[in-house]
Amino acid sequence: MSTTSTPSAGVGREDLERLAAHWEERPSLRAWLSTVDHKKIGRRYLVTAGFFFVLAGLSALVMRTQLGRPESGLVAPQEYNQLFSMHGTAMVFLFATPMLFGFGNFLVPLMIGSRDMAFPRLNAFGYWVFLFAGLFMWASLPFGAAPNNGWFGYVPLSDEQNNPGLHMDVYALGLLFLGISTTSGAINFIVTALKLRAPGMSLNRVPLFVWAIVATAFMVVFALPALNADNAMLFLDRRFGTHFFDPSHGGNVLLWQHLFWIFGHPDVYIIVMPALGIVSAVLPAFTRRGVVGYVLVVLAIVSISIISFGVWVHHMFATGLPQLSFSFFSAASTIITIPSGVQIFAWLATMLLGRLVLRVPLLFVIGFIVTFVLGGFTGAMFAVTAFDQQTTDTYFVVAHFHYVLIGGAVFPMLAGVYYWLPKITGRMYHEGLARWAFWLFFTGMHVTFFPMHLYGLFGMPRRVYTYPNIAGWAGWNLVSTIGSYLLALGVLLTIVGVVHTLRRGRPAPPDPWGGDTLEWSTASPPEPYNFPVLPRVHSLHPTWDARTAESTGPGASADRVLSGGRRTLLTSELDARQERAVAMPESTLKPLALAGALLLGFTALLLAWYPVAVVAALAVAATLAVWLWPPRLPEQEEVGP
Amino acid sequence: MSAPPGPHARLAGGLLLWYGVLGGAVAWSVHALAAWSLSELACASGSERVAAVPLWEAVGLAVVIPGLAAVGSLLVAVLAWRRTTRARPAGGDSALGRSRMLAAVGIWSNLLFLTIIALGGVAVLVLPPCQR
Ligand code: HEM
Ligand SMILES: [Cu+2]
């Protein structure tokens, strides 16, 4: 299935040299800190998010070790509170979303046939902010000052009276800081996918992964402001004595919950949606056909992203609102299973109608389907309010959401890691090692979390640091703990596999799997400019399509080579009609400086060094001014339409 | 590739097509927010009336009006689908292909949102407004 190296008949030697000269970054510390290349930034997102995953996973291992037997005294209750809070918060905010943004950053420009994201410097800025915000939050753990009120930080337990100390200030400020990164990343994805698609890639030819990323980005833009508002108010309440959540002064406690879940429910889909996009991207290569029902899958993506905003109240069934108003949300909550089901059936049909090639990425996809569907079942059980009341805040819930989150996000991510590793590193992974990793991860996952359904039903509450020796609890808890070590071994083997790939892997051809999207038409790893000739797209499966291949061969026209500077092509939003070439920025240290100034500001706010915070604010303003100062433009070249 | 769209493709771009694609979604959002806040606010204030209109009728309107808007959107999407299918030229112009896809998405999504609105309507008939 693989083709030989790309640099195609369409470009001359001279053009290639000019492209290389314009896009190259010589290795040096400065270049490393100032790069704006989406591939490097994407890789950094993947590595950093993976690192936070390991930290959050280690917290989970400590918890599982503590819970392995009754009345164990490995950690104190206060420490346990911080462990599960940091675990949940980090998994959701510092691992799942940024990991998927990492895939998006690496892949979206490649998949749509562009040379970079729309705003490369903003992209670099987003990464630095993510890194700093993550370190900001994790740094609190060794000081015993980490968030300690669960990942959803309910008021009034998180207010100043009930929760003194820095814990919840770290939570509020950390999430606000991180929100800057997530929002700027989302806007970048939207503009990139709308304006930089290769000529001819009209909406009906956009890869499903890109649809998923764009839908996710829209969800981020609409959902995150609710969370930001919540955290800003919490910080003001705690630090400056406002009363947003304080009923004794006319505030409202439910306000926290409403705002949190207006963000929180879509957030489940913010995590799962791009992961499902990965599944749709991986399947064609291992079934040798396009995903069945392209239009229906797009429909599912779009409608899930809309419906998920209208169902937040289902997290608040225990708050005593009128039945009638609940029912409006129940209707939508149950109906959202239809588009989710549509996607699952589309994948199953693809596998049935295609010729299966059982490689590791496909194994992870199958593991995903099994696990995710089980999680979906237990989720549907909550729709029965009586059952919901019975199991709320027991380990049954913990079992359910790990099936959904690990099934719906981690399995697809691992599929994606193995699938794109040859493209990202230019080397093939070790198949045997990868298979071991899969089976350990899969077995470990089910051995850990399946028993949680049982002891949840037996009444074991979540968020307890220990439990009495009650029949039915102790044995199953031990099973869970053993499972969690198997799972950890699976993760470890994956890391070993990645390192092995980097060190020892066979060189990868441009297209080892016979994939159908444009990233496979570039070299592995891609050149800094991605495509020597920007392709013209003629179908939904451009690399399986002779006319698209021809467009970068002898059929290439000079207006798609663009070798006179760092440039890429602008096209129209709906039909991707060619508009004009635009200049792309050179690398710069400004994003790093701005993110650093913000880190200083947030740290100063946390530690109540207000004069320093003012200085940091001035530094932020100054950096912004320098960044936005209109550059002296070089002579514009004329480029035809 | 970028020939101007022919007369058949009048629905292929423009606001009407977008109404066909997104109308149902917008109608449902309006329905959910209006119906929820009406029942919530009226019941919280201890009255079963909204500005002298009985709550049942008021919430009913918050079902019927968005429902009709979604039906309209469905019709537009069907029309757009039929026109773009008929006008499909041999070469497969990307603009027409795109409109056809959007029309198909519109049809299915309007059916979905119409179902949710209808289920909301059933709740209004079955449940007494302020029961907890
Ligand atoms: C990798 C293996 C994992 C293990 C062994 C694990 C284990 C646990 C345990 C034992 C708890 C319960 C703490 C308690 O209620 O006392 C927990 C909570 C949680 N986990 Fe995981 N987890 C894992 C992966 C993940 C992943 C991948 C995610 C999300 C993407 C995640 C998200 C959460 C969340 C949100 C909570 C709730 C925290 C809270 O109660 O506020 N976990 N996990
Ligand atoms: Cu939810």
Side-chain angles (χ1 to χ4, degrees):
Chain A
M1 266 291 169
S2 59
T3 50
T4 42
S5 189
T6 17
S8 40
V11 269
R13 275 270 305 283
E14 206 175 299
D15 278 327
L16 277 182
E17 273 160 20
R18 291 170 71 197
L19 275 172
H22 285 302
W23 290 87
E24 194 182 59
E25 289 166 0
R26 282 185 193 75
S28 73
L29 181 65
R30 193 196 155 87
W32 196 86
L33 293 174
S34 64
T35 184
V36 295
D37 180 347
H38 74 97
K39 297 179 288 298
K40 292 186 181 155
I41 293 169
R43 243 161 29 209
R44 283 175 197 180
Y45 261 107
L46 294 175
V47 171
T48 312
F51 172 68
F52 291 144
F53 173 72
V54 170
L55 287 185
L58 289 177
S59 314
L61 273 190
V62 176
M63 287 192 282
R64 277 317 325 166
T65 314
Q66 159 76 10
L67 296 172
R69 57 199 171 85
E71 283 156 30
S72 128
L74 181 68
V75 294
Q78 300 81 2
E79 289 165 355
Y80 191 85
N81 285 347
Q82 298 183 25
L83 282 176
F84 77 70
S85 305
M86 261 324 270
H87 166 79
T89 313
M91 282 293 190
V92 169
F93 294 105
L94 299 178
F95 158 65
T97 318
M99 187 83 179
L100 293 161
F101 270 39
F103 281 109
N105 264 312
F106 190 90
L107 291 166
V108 166
L110 287 170
M111 280 190 173
I112 63 175
S114 152
R115 287 200 169 134
D116 205 324
M117 299 282 286
F119 308 115
R121 290 179 300 184
L122 190 65
N123 207 19
F125 170 68
Y127 169 74
W128 293 117
V129 170
F130 157 55
L131 175 70
F132 292 163
L135 295 176
F136 177 90
M137 291 179 85
W138 276 110
S140 65
L141 194 58
F143 297 103
N148 59 356
N149 192 19
W151 83 284
F152 42 62
Y154 275 180
V155 169
L157 289 177
S158 55
D159 68 17
E160 177 76 73
Q161 290 77 39
N162 294 304
N163 199 335
L166 287 184
H167 310 276
M168 294 314 287
D169 298 321
V170 172
Y171 177 91
L173 289 176
L175 292 187
L176 278 172
F177 190 14
L178 184 68
I180 298 173
S181 158
T182 320
T183 308
S184 57
I187 291 170
N188 213 345
F189 281 128
I190 294 174
V191 179
T192 305
L194 286 181
K195 289 307 293 178
L196 299 188
R197 301 199 306 276
M201 187 181 273
S202 48
L203 285 190
N204 53 325
R205 295 171 184 165
V206 173
L208 288 169
F209 177 79
V210 177
W211 272 107
I213 288 280
V214 172
T216 308
F218 272 108
M219 287 161 76
V220 166
V221 169
F222 285 108
L224 215 53
L227 181 72
N228 290 339
D230 237 4
N231 279 311
M233 290 190 283
L234 178 63
F235 187 69
L236 290 175
D237 266 15
R238 289 177 57 86
R239 196 56 77 76
F240 298 110
T242 53
H243 301 289
F244 290 107
F245 302 119
D246 177 4
S248 66
H249 289 79
N252 186 343
V253 218
L254 274 189
L255 179 61
W256 173 274
Q257 286 197 36
H258 274 300
L259 284 176
F260 188 88
W261 288 116
I262 285 174
F263 153 80
H265 188 81
D267 191 54
V268 175
Y269 292 92
I270 289 174
I271 292 175
V272 170
M273 181 87 78
L276 304 188
I278 293 183
V279 174
S280 295
V282 168
L283 268 184
F286 299 98
T287 55
R288 302 284 185 253
R289 59 162 301 144
V291 171
V292 173
Y294 173 80
V295 171
L296 284 180
V297 177
V298 172
L299 166 84
I301 292 171
V302 174
S303 48
I304 287 175
S305 65
I306 295 170
I307 300 176
S308 69
F309 276 93
V311 299
W312 80 91
V313 176
H314 71 202
H315 292 273
M316 301 170 65
F317 281 158
T319 47
L321 306 173
Q323 287 286 316
L324 181 61
S325 69
F326 276 148
S327 66
F328 300 123
F329 297 93
S330 293
S333 306
T334 19
I335 289 274
I336 206 168
T337 54
I338 294 179
S340 316
V342 162
Q343 291 201 65
I344 304 257
F345 284 120
W347 295 319
L348 290 178
T350 312
M351 296 214 272
L352 284 177
L353 298 176
R355 254 185 317 118
L356 287 194
V357 183
L358 209 61
R359 302 292 295 268
V360 169
L362 187 62
L363 280 181
F364 276 103
V365 167
I366 295 170
F368 145 74
I369 293 181
V370 172
T371 313
F372 190 64
V373 167
L374 279 171
F377 275 139
T378 51
M381 292 164 80
F382 294 132
V384 185
T385 311
F387 185 85
D388 188 37
Q389 301 267 343
Q390 179 72 26
T391 49
T392 293
D393 277 331
T394 69
Y395 261 87
F396 192 91
V397 177
V398 180
H400 156 70
F401 68 70
H402 282 88
Y403 267 77
V404 171
L405 288 173
I406 298 186
V410 184
F411 274 97
M413 279 176 201
L414 289 170
V417 165
Y418 285 107
Y419 180 60
W420 282 299
L421 210 49
K423 182 56 59 188
I424 296 176
T425 64
R427 290 167 182 278
M428 301 300 291
Y429 62 82
H430 187 288
E431 187 82 15
L433 213 54
R435 273 175 200 261
W436 270 98
F438 168 76
W439 285 112
L440 278 169
F441 190 84
F442 183 82
T443 322
M445 150 76 209
H446 288 271
V447 173
T448 309
F449 292 101
F450 194 81
M452 287 187 186
H453 293 115
L454 301 176
Y455 48 88
L457 285 176
F458 302 155
M460 176 159 162
R462 66 193 279 206
R463 297 178 170 176
V464 287
Y465 84 107
T466 192
Y467 52 92
N469 193 353
I470 292 179
W473 289 15
W476 284 120
N477 264 295
L478 183 61
V479 174
S480 271
T481 301
I482 295 172
S484 64
Y485 278 89
L486 288 181
L487 200 162
L489 213 56
V491 174
L492 188 67
L493 270 195
T494 299
I495 297 172
V496 170
V498 171
V499 175
H500 180 274
T501 309
L502 285 170
R503 291 274 164 81
R504 295 269 160 78
R506 287 185 287 117
D511 184 10
W513 314 118
D516 66 333
T517 33
L518 280 174
E519 79 272 25
W520 300 109
S521 69
T522 63
S524 300
E527 300 289 344
Y529 43 83
N530 289 355
F531 301 91
V533 185
L534 296 175
R536 172 176 279 287
V537 171
H538 291 273
S539 73
L540 182 54
H541 308 291
T543 45
W544 295 350
D545 169 43
R547 284 170 72 202
T548 306
E550 252 166 54
S551 76
T552 64
S557 46
D559 58 352
R560 286 186 285 111
V561 177
L562 302 176
S563 62
R566 279 200 186 193
R567 294 189 306 168
T568 195
L569 206 54
L570 221 57
T571 53
S572 67
E573 300 82 13
L574 298 179
D575 298 321
R577 295 205 167 98
Q578 197 160 329
E579 285 175 349
R580 64 196 164 84
V582 283
M584 301 302 272
E586 303 288 328
S587 37
T588 158
L589 286 172
K590 286 168 206 155
L592 178 58
L594 185 55
L598 281 170
L599 175 64
L600 182 66
F602 276 94
T603 314
L605 273 183
L606 178 69
L607 302 176
W609 301 335
Y610 300 116
V612 181
V614 173
V615 173
L618 292 177
V620 167
T623 328
L624 268 177
V626 174
W627 184 335
L628 297 178
W629 207 260
R632 256 176 298 131
L633 284 174
E635 288 290 301
Q636 284 280 314
E637 286 165 79
E638 269 312 307
V639 182
Chain B
M1 268 289 111
S2 47
H8 276 305
R10 271 243 305 288
L11 270 171
L15 282 181
L16 204 52
L17 178 66
W18 286 110
Y19 171 55
V21 178
L22 292 175
V26 174
W28 166 70
S29 312
V30 170
H31 151 75
L33 286 178
W36 170 61
S37 51
L38 280 177
S39 74
E40 202 62 43
L41 292 176
C43 297
S45 71
S47 115
E48 301 212 352
R49 290 176 166 274
V50 181
V53 183
L55 189 53
W56 190 88
E57 271 89 350
V59 178
L61 280 182
V63 173
V64 173
I65 296 173
L68 290 177
V71 170
S73 170
L74 178 62
L75 293 178
V76 170
V78 171
L79 205 61
W81 165 258
R82 292 186 44 191
R83 294 212 180 153
T84 44
T85 314
R86 240 182 283 143
R88 192 159 139 213
D93 178 24
S94 62
L96 271 178
R98 179 262 300 169
S99 302
R100 248 165 68 80
M101 188 199 86
L102 286 179
V105 168
I107 292 175
W108 288 103
S109 83
N110 283 318
L111 286 172
L112 195 68
F113 287 111
L114 212 52
T115 317
I116 312 183
I117 296 175
L119 286 177
V122 173
V124 181
L125 294 178
V126 175
L127 296 169
C130 289
Q131 182 200 40
R132 281 175 197 264

